[in-house]
Amino acid sequence: QVCPGLQTPHVPVWLCSLCGRHGVLFSTDSLLLTCWRAERVFHLHFYSGQQEQTEPTQLTIDTHSHHWEEDPREDPSSPGKRHPPMEMVIRTKWAGATVSWNGTDPFF
């Protein structure tokens, strides 16, 4: 039997498995669970425990970015259009969102 506190988290938490490696993506903002307006611009924290993660990683997610302003002539498969796997995972929940790594090099 699972206690009720574990059935309904107080903050959003996702366990991620990308390319055979695992990590935790979470937010400290409980409003993301109940208020759609909180999903405009918000922060997610990522922890993988991997050696390449030398410091805490905070991602800024913008779900109302102007993705239509991108250059339509650029090939979607070109190196400039490729996104790290973590960004693609985030876009399964928030399609079209932009992800800022806030100065950290994407390592996952």
Side-chain angles (χ1 to χ4, degrees):
Q1 180 98 172
V2 177
C3 80
L6 294 176
Q7 292 176 355
T8 306
H10 293 265
V11 295
V13 176
W14 296 273
L15 299 176
C16 304
S17 177
L18 299 167
C19 308
R21 297 186 296 175
H22 298 72
V24 178
L25 186 65
F26 65 96
S27 175
T28 56
D29 185 1
S30 62
L31 285 177
L32 283 176
L33 293 172
T34 58
C35 179
W36 61 270
R37 290 183 180 149
E39 294 184 359
R40 166 73 171 83
V41 176
F42 56 94
H43 300 288
L44 293 178
H45 304 274
F46 181 68
Y47 179 73
S48 69
Q50 301 292 323
Q51 288 180 333
E52 58 266 16
Q53 185 175 7
T54 58
E55 57 188 48
T57 302
Q58 180 177 342
L59 308 173
T60 302
I61 315 301
D62 183 353
T63 60
H64 288 83
S65 60
H66 300 281
H67 60 276
W68 59 85
E69 292 178 354
E70 294 176 358
D71 188 355
R73 297 172 301 206
E74 191 173 336
D75 181 14
S77 63
S78 70
K81 287 292 221 179
R82 292 189 182 149
H83 300 287
M86 178 53 64
E87 292 183 25
M88 300 309 292
V89 165
I90 291 169
R91 288 188 185 106
T92 63
K93 171 81 173 141
W94 296 283
T98 58
V99 179
S100 170
W101 287 74
N102 297 315
T104 302
D105 288 331
F107 56 86
F108 206 95

